[in-house]
Amino acid sequence: MFQPDEKGFYGQYGGAYIPEMLIPNIEELKSCYLKIMESESFLSEYKKLFTDFAGRPSPLFKAERLSAKYGANIWLKREDLNHTGSHKLNNTIGQILIAREMGRTRIIAETGAGQHGVATATVCALMNMQCVVYMGETDIERQAPNVARMRMLGAEVRPALSGNRTLKDATNEALRDWIANPTDTFYIIGSVVGPHPYPDMVARLQAIISAEMKQQLKEKCGSELPDYVIACVGGGSNAAGSFYHFIDDASVKLIGAEAAGLGLDSGETAASIARGEPGVIHGSLTYLMQDDDGQIIEPYSISAGLDYPGVGPLHSYLMESGRATYLPVTDKEALEAALELTRMEGIIPALESAHALAILSKLNFKKSDRVVVTVSGRGDKDMKCYMDYFKLTDK
Amino acid sequence: MIMNNNINNALKGQKQITMNRLNKLFQEKKDLLSIYFTAGYPQLNDTMTVLTALQDAGIDFVEIGLPFSDPLADGPVIQQSSNLALKNGMSLNRIFEQLGDMRKTITMPVTFMGYINPVLKFGIEKFVKLCAKTGIDGLIIPDLPFEIYIEKYKELFDDNGISNIFLITPQTPEERVRMLDENSSSFLYMVSSAAVTGAKKGISEVQTDYFRRIKDMKLKTPKVVGFGISDRESYQRVCNYSEGAIIGSAFVKMLGQSQNLKSDIKEFIATIK
Ligand SMILES: Cc1ncc(COP(=O)(O)O)c(C=O)c1O
């Protein structure tokens, strides 16, 4: 298992580089998140919501045709079947219980693909809390179905109008909101990013993914350890959750798929590990795409959920220590992998998850290898993009 | 920074004499007026023009904003000025070029306000040394929290006679205010309310309660109030509880609309002081 030190550092990465205005909130959260998460009442409610509300455990599905094609035993961890359509709900269920325990009544969140926004709006409806979601204007357009869902759930969606108007900018606005509303508001961050203790808190909440994988592999294959675990990395929460319980098992190869956009050297990319270097974004020291003057470079990916110039600090650490490997996947490779999964296994994945699937064609497997790919979400929100790209509309 | 202790102390003593414009100012004057403006705004080469005009208009010290792409403690006005300054080509290298001879004419204390990432990328040791060489007196880096500063950079700042300026907010617990006070070498930046930067109308009772609470703590360090101060009235109100005020967004907004920087700056300051 991997955990930061008490100041929130994974090696040199992480920490809490935040303005004084956020210190009281972060200190309070830091002092109570573990206590709350380990309490009886939290654990029992969390388990109940996981099974009865979210529909967990999410299945582990043997993809027979993909297995035949790639010459290995390929298993899919079906986070797309989680309620609201992605792994994001695992995190928001946990954080809203923490927020409630801390007496907060107003919830804010940032969202890229809209999946985290929907997952946050969902738990706010469930817990009767006010919900404001910041979303870049570009993403509001390209992920319209999720905007509608958030609104139906009663959330207010506020457009972020700075930068490229994507996930980074939405996160800036959410942090500014938190600065302006320090007493009643809880910020539910959607990935393993932000100041300590968020990366650790979110990783722990997503760790259910690998905990279930272990048990399911044991039941289905007799051994709880796979040879590969593959997940996409935006901020890196579904990857952190997929890796979490395998960190100490050196035989398990951990692979993260980064969004290369139009290509690593195209200038239009979101591959923060391949094209970044250590820097501070949203309160955390981590790999960051920045120019020679230390200004943050606007990222690009077709996938709104991966369109972020930084990455969770634990991934910077896992990369540097060599424990995990991060590979770039272009828009085109992801789109083709999405169609392949759809036509071969009957599952339409989210564009984000399609990046993880595209890794299958990049690795050389042995026939006996057990490979688990996390399908972090379903593709409903991306239908417009798929229909345009694959020309599925009738003329 | 691995230096013989004697040399180290000698240097510190020397810097006390030469670099202490802020302390001297706080000893000598009250009701200080400070202005924030963004370097390289509205035009790339306006930095020295604005700085000189501010000194001529009679302000007491200045805060020069180092533009950053993602300034998360700033509201829309300063965000926009930062974006434009970056488009104009502003960078840390440029600012040091522009201000290289500043101390030939500028006698008031000058501080920088900027975010940590460009500084880390530039090299923080090189940055602090260049600040000292240029005649910068203090640094305000909102996203460099106290704890990391003390652990990693305090020695560097001290060795170069650069004062690190901490923020306090209405939510800062008393104990922490005391700790920041103990560790301050020039002034404490008192954020006027829970908000990012941006001009607001008036000072509320909740705010004056907070100012009074801090005033009653009888801190050793002078306090200057910033964020949301925009006009003579708010400036005078906060001076009842502090040693001065900083006006940022209201001034930057004026710069953005100005046809004649020199005369507009003079006029703006005349409406405050
Ligand atoms: C389906 C899906 N997968 C992955 C991600 C990327 O987030 P993370 O890297 O935190 O798992 C998102 C984010 O919006 C998403 O919606």
Side-chain angles (χ1 to χ4, degrees):
Chain A
M1 286 203 274
F2 56 117
Q3 270 142 32
D5 67 20
E6 84 278 8
K7 288 176 186 148
F9 284 95
Y10 303 84
Q12 66 156 313
Y13 301 107
Y17 290 82
I18 45 169
E20 194 59 40
M21 296 81 123
L22 292 176
I23 296 263
N25 263 322
I26 288 294
E27 284 296 320
E28 188 188 354
L29 184 59
K30 210 167 83 181
S31 70
C32 71
Y33 81 107
L34 288 177
K35 238 180 284 164
I36 294 174
M37 287 174 73
E38 282 157 11
S39 69
E40 285 288 326
S41 58
F42 176 90
L43 286 170
S44 71
E45 183 140 19
Y46 175 74
K47 278 192 191 132
K48 194 176 77 196
L49 288 172
F50 265 26
T51 47
D52 300 347
F53 186 67
R56 298 201 73 88
S58 68
L60 185 72
F61 172 68
K62 178 85 184 283
E64 293 291 356
R65 292 182 65 199
L66 282 184
S67 297
K69 175 166 178 184
Y70 291 107
N73 299 290
I74 293 171
W75 296 86
L76 305 177
K77 181 59 175 163
R78 299 288 310 277
E79 292 301 307
D80 59 311
L81 292 177
N82 209 25
H83 178 42
T84 73
S86 82
H87 68 292
K88 297 285 183 188
L89 191 71
N90 305 338
N91 173 37
T92 60
I93 287 177
Q95 285 200 51
I96 198 130
L97 292 175
I98 294 169
R100 198 179 61 178
E101 195 59 34
M102 291 172 71
R104 302 302 165 101
T105 51
R106 178 177 178 269
I107 299 296
I108 55 171
E110 84 296 337
T111 196
Q115 288 300 117
H116 175 60
V118 167
T120 304
T122 298
V123 294
C124 285
L126 184 70
M127 300 283 170
N128 188 23
M129 288 208 212
Q130 188 194 345
C131 181
V132 174
V133 179
Y134 290 91
M135 188 170 190
E137 202 179 41
T138 309
D139 293 338
I140 287 181
E141 280 160 31
R142 62 178 164 167
Q143 306 278 237
N146 277 342
V147 178
R149 292 168 79 198
M150 285 184 265
R151 292 198 171 128
M152 180 148 176
L153 286 158
E156 181 192 343
V157 181
R158 292 192 189 161
L161 302 174
S162 56
N164 270 3
R165 306 179 174 200
T166 58
L167 181 54
K168 163 176 79 71
D169 313 297
T171 309
N172 286 337
E173 288 310 325
L175 284 166
R176 290 181 185 122
D177 181 309
W178 208 21
I179 286 173
N181 297 284
T183 52
D184 63 342
T185 298
F186 187 96
Y187 179 14
I188 298 189
I189 296 187
S191 192
V192 286
V193 301
H196 177 64
Y198 279 99
D200 184 48
M201 181 169 65
V202 177
R204 286 167 185 265
L205 291 169
Q206 291 293 1
I208 183 78
I209 300 175
S210 50
E212 288 176 3
M213 276 180 191
K214 270 194 160 174
Q215 199 177 354
Q216 289 164 325
L217 282 168
K218 181 139 201 216
E219 281 162 19
K220 290 169 198 279
C221 320
S223 157
E224 59 179 26
L225 296 184
D227 297 287
Y228 291 86
V229 176
I230 302 172
C232 68
V233 178
S237 67
N238 85 88
S242 302
F243 295 171
Y244 202 91
H245 290 287
F246 297 116
I247 291 285
D248 294 334
D249 298 306
S251 69
V252 183
K253 297 178 196 72
L254 307 175
I255 315 275
E258 286 202 289
L262 301 184
L264 283 185
D265 298 318
S266 65
E268 298 288 334
T269 184
S272 321
I273 287 183
R275 282 295 170 266
E277 57 189 306
V280 173
I281 180 169
H282 299 142
S284 184
L285 180 69
T286 188
Y287 269 71
L288 169 66
M289 301 202 309
Q290 52 182 313
D291 68 15
D292 292 342
D293 295 323
Q295 306 296 341
I296 297 176
I297 293 177
E298 294 294 337
Y300 164 77
S301 164
I302 194 170
S303 146
L306 307 184
D307 195 353
Y308 185 69
V311 64
L314 57 91
H315 291 293
S316 294
Y317 178 65
L318 290 178
M319 184 279 293
E320 202 168 84
S321 63
R323 179 63 191 94
T325 304
Y326 298 85
L327 301 173
V329 171
T330 62
D331 287 359
K332 189 161 174 291
E333 290 167 332
L335 284 159
E336 276 154 18
L339 188 62
E340 179 176 270
L341 184 75
T342 305
R343 296 280 163 92
M344 290 181 73
E345 302 289 349
I347 298 168
I348 302 178
L351 270 168
E352 291 76 21
S353 322
H355 285 71
L357 292 155
I359 296 291
L360 290 174
S361 64
K362 294 176 183 274
L363 298 175
N364 289 317
F365 299 114
K366 290 199 303 284
K367 198 101 197 99
S368 59
D369 281 342
R370 279 190 301 270
V371 179
V372 182
V373 184
T374 298
V375 181
S376 56
R378 64 182 186 224
D380 306 32
K381 68 187 177 60
D382 299 310
M383 286 318 297
K384 184 172 179 311
C385 171
Y386 290 148
M387 290 179 71
D388 289 349
Y389 187 79
F390 297 116
K391 305 202 170 30
L392 302 172
T393 32
D394 41 31
K395 306 257 156 60
Chain B
M1 265 182 300
I2 309 159
M3 254 187 232
N4 172 315
N5 256 342
N6 288 337
I7 303 178
N8 218 345
N9 288 338
L11 277 178
K12 265 185 203 154
Q14 186 188 354
K15 266 151 199 159
Q16 286 287 310
I17 301 158
T18 53
M19 298 294 286
N20 235 334
R21 291 178 204 94
L22 279 167
N23 299 41
K24 197 155 170 279
L25 176 66
F26 283 101
Q27 262 173 23
E28 289 170 355
K29 283 186 77 177
K30 284 168 60 157
D31 299 346
L32 302 176
L33 176 62
S34 175
I35 293 287
Y36 167 99
F37 72 96
T38 306
Y41 178 83
Q43 305 284 330
L44 178 62
N45 291 318
D46 285 338
T47 313
M48 268 313 287
T49 313
V50 175
L51 185 58
T52 306
L54 282 170
Q55 173 163 287
D56 293 347
I59 71 160
D60 298 299
F61 71 101
V62 74
E63 211 181 300
I64 303 181
L66 308 174
F68 180 49
S69 55
D70 295 79
L72 61 82
D74 286 302
V77 172
I78 294 179
Q79 284 175 44
Q80 273 159 26
S81 68
S82 296
N83 280 339
L84 193 71
L86 291 174
K87 278 204 190 102
N88 289 343
M90 187 37 83
S91 66
L92 291 184
N93 280 314
R94 277 264 159 71
I95 185 83
F96 284 121
E97 264 167 47
Q98 291 179 345
L99 300 182
D101 289 332
M102 148 183 112
R103 284 299 173 199
K104 288 186 178 154
T105 52
I106 302 295
T107 53
M108 64 179 168
V110 177
T111 63
F112 275 162
M113 174 157 180
Y115 290 82
I116 189 69
N117 196 57
V119 172
L120 290 178
K121 175 77 192 179
F122 188 80
I124 190 161
E125 191 164 342
K126 183 173 128 198
F127 176 77
V128 170
K129 288 191 165 137
L130 264 173
C131 283
K133 194 171 155 221
T134 308
I136 300 299
D137 302 287
L139 295 177
I140 304 160
I141 307 178
D143 56 349
L144 174 60
F146 174 77
E147 288 72 14
I148 297 176
Y149 165 74
I150 293 291
E151 193 184 312
K152 292 191 171 173
Y153 305 121
K154 180 177 171 9
E155 203 180 316
L156 171 69
F157 279 52
D158 287 351
D159 287 349
N160 287 281
I162 299 289
S163 173
N164 189 37
I165 293 147
F166 304 116
L167 274 52
I168 58 175
T169 81
Q171 277 69 43
T172 311
E174 181 171 335
E175 228 172 282
R176 190 171 170 90
V177 173
R178 295 258 175 234
M179 179 183 74
L180 296 172
D181 179 42
E182 276 310 308
N183 287 280
S184 290
S185 55
S186 55
F187 69 92
L188 278 166
Y189 194 128
M190 201 160 141
V191 177
S192 73
S193 68
V196 294
T197 57
K200 269 192 272 320
K201 271 273 160 265
I203 298 286
S204 72
E205 209 166 302
V206 180
Q207 285 177 287
T208 50
D209 286 350
Y210 151 61
F211 299 151
R212 198 172 298 118
R213 175 166 60 82
I214 301 293
K215 187 178 180 184
D216 289 346
M217 287 179 74
K218 307 212 179 318
L219 304 176
K220 76 170 178 61
T221 314
K223 302 163 299 293
V224 182
V225 179
F227 287 38
I229 313 302
S230 59
D231 53 16
R232 173 174 285 160
E233 207 218 315
S234 44
Y235 160 65
Q236 288 179 344
R237 284 283 299 281
V238 303
C239 282
N240 293 329
Y241 309 93
S242 68
E243 280 68 29
I246 302 172
I247 296 178
S249 296
F251 181 77
V252 171
K253 197 168 169 190
M254 180 280 290
L255 288 184
Q257 294 158 356
S258 172
Q259 300 299 322
N260 182 330
L261 286 177
K262 263 189 191 159
S263 60
D264 288 346
I265 289 170
K266 194 170 167 203
E267 201 175 300
F268 183 94
I269 301 303
T271 65
I272 311 286
K273 268 220 140 170

